Amino acid sequence: SQGIGTIPSITLDGGVSSEMVPATVADTEAYRRNFRGAEFEGIIGASFLRHFKVTVDYKRNRIYFHRDH
């Protein structure tokens, strides 16, 4: 089952946040099967990421978000 709506606000660890984020609610079982062992609570999409410059540090297993002003 899927649904479309808006999340009033979303905040990630480290204080990165955004308001009025478009969202889709979907069954994540297929993702869990394809990414065995990975833990996640949701999927961050372009509607959230477009507000940030994103840096992936593979060595430290970190993702950094910088406001894109």
Side-chain angles (χ1 to χ4, degrees):
S1 167
Q2 290 190 339
I4 298 175
T6 302
I7 297 174
S9 67
I10 185 170
T11 303
L12 303 178
D13 287 348
V16 173
S17 64
S18 192
E19 296 180 351
M20 302 308 291
V21 179
T24 300
V25 178
D27 183 3
T28 59
E29 189 56 37
Y31 296 104
R32 293 185 191 286
R33 281 193 307 270
N34 290 325
F35 298 100
R36 289 187 193 126
E39 295 181 28
F40 62 93
E41 295 180 27
I43 299 167
I44 300 172
S47 62
F48 179 82
L49 294 174
R50 69 187 172 117
H51 299 287
F52 303 94
K53 175 184 168 194
V54 180
T55 304
V56 179
D57 184 342
Y58 291 101
K59 208 175 206 182
R60 292 184 178 91
N61 201 28
R62 300 266 184 224
I63 299 175
Y64 300 96
F65 298 89
H66 310 275
R67 280 271 175 211
D68 187 24
H69 292 280

